């Protein structure tokens, strides 16, 4: 392992603060107790160096020595390989953790993200597209409610899959989208009560507020 540096924007508007995806990595790093530093890149003027690390001009990305990794899911998998606090040590546990991590991205966030765009914009009007995404998210949440009804965490002990899944569901809960899904809401509450999340959230809020 080299020196770990997490790259995020120097500033973002107030509405997304606390939900910018570098929080997933801050959280994982804090859970694992891995030493790291945070570096800023411009929110408004994204230059060639930024695109060299993140081809879509987004954040976060992580450097581990000479290694540069983008996409929060890929970075969480990398960090999971550095700490057994984030990833089980047995083959079955590792496989289960990876499949739930991808499920959070490809199955749940695929439904929650477009829905959240409507909520952020304040567009609550009834139209076919809005109904499609409401129904899409509802179907995913019904399945997650069953999964989480009798589980504390997705794969035995807390892992990177819980960081990703709970963060995806946390955004839904921001707009009260978990009101009818008590197991999902309780899961988010358990996850966000962890000291590592509390610190990661406070650090992100302080980071962006400092540039106001």
């Amino acid at each position: 392992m080299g020196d770990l540096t997490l790259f995020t924007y120097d500033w973002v508007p107030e509405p997304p603060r606390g939900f910018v995806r570098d929080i997933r990595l801050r959280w994982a790093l804090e859970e694992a107790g891995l030493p790291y530093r945070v570096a800023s890149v411009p929110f408004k003027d994204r230059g060639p160096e930024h695109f060299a690390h993140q081809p879509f001009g987004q954040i976060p990305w992580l450097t581990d020595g000479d290694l540069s990794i983008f996409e929060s899911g890929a970075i969480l998998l990398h960090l999971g390989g550095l700490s057994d606090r984030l990833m089980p040590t047995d083959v079955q546990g590792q496989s289960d953790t990876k499949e739930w991590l991808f499920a959070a991205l490809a199955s749940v966030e695929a439904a929650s993200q477009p829905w959240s765009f409507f909520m952020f914009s304040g567009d609550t009007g009834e139209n076919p597209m809005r109904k499609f995404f409401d129904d899409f998210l509802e179907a995913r949440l019904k399945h997650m409610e069953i999964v989480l009804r009798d589980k504390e965490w997705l794969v035995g002990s807390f892992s990177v899959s819980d960081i990703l899944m709970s963060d995806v569901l946390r955004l839904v809960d921001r707009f009260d989208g978990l009101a009818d899904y008590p197991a999902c809401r309780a899961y988010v509450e358990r996850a966000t009560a962890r000291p590592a999340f509390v610190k990661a959230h406070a650090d992100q809020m302080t980071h962006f507020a400092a540039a106001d």
Side-chain angles (χ1 to χ4, degrees), residues 38-39 45 54 70 83 161 190:
V38 176
D45 299 312
Q54 218 296 351
F70 71 96
S83 173
S161 63
R190 283 194 301 277

Side-chain angles (χ1 to χ4, degrees), residues 48-104:
E49 177 68 13
H50 188 151
F51 286 94
H53 288 278
Q54 218 296 351
F56 305 105
Q58 299 171 319
I59 55 92
W61 75 84
L62 180 89
T63 58
D64 182 352
D66 294 331
L67 183 65
S68 181
I69 314 165
F70 71 96
E71 289 294 342
S72 60
I75 300 168
L76 286 173
L77 283 177
H78 178 74
L79 295 176
L82 300 180
S83 173
D84 59 10
R85 297 182 188 177
L86 301 174
M87 179 75 73
T89 56
D90 64 291
V91 173
Q92 185 64 58
Q94 291 175 359
S95 178
D96 292 346
T97 299
K98 291 173 185 177
E99 70 182 6
W100 275 113
L101 184 143
F102 281 102

Side-chain angles (χ1 to χ4, degrees), residues 107-108 110-112 114-115 118 126-143 181:
S107 295
V108 184
S112 67
W115 177 85
F118 281 104
E126 290 295 329
N127 58 69
M129 187 61 69
R130 173 62 192 273
K131 185 178 187 309
F132 172 83
F133 286 116
D134 282 348
D135 292 345
F136 187 18
L137 178 61
E138 181 181 6
R140 293 294 191 253
L141 293 177
K142 284 181 177 178
H143 287 292
Y181 305 94

Side-chain angles (χ1 to χ4, degrees), residues 12-21 43 120 174 204-205 208:
V12 297
E14 288 192 14
R17 293 182 189 182
F19 292 86
V20 182
R21 290 182 181 177
F43 175 73
F120 267 121
R174 176 178 185 171
Q204 186 185 90
M205 297 297 286
F208 293 133

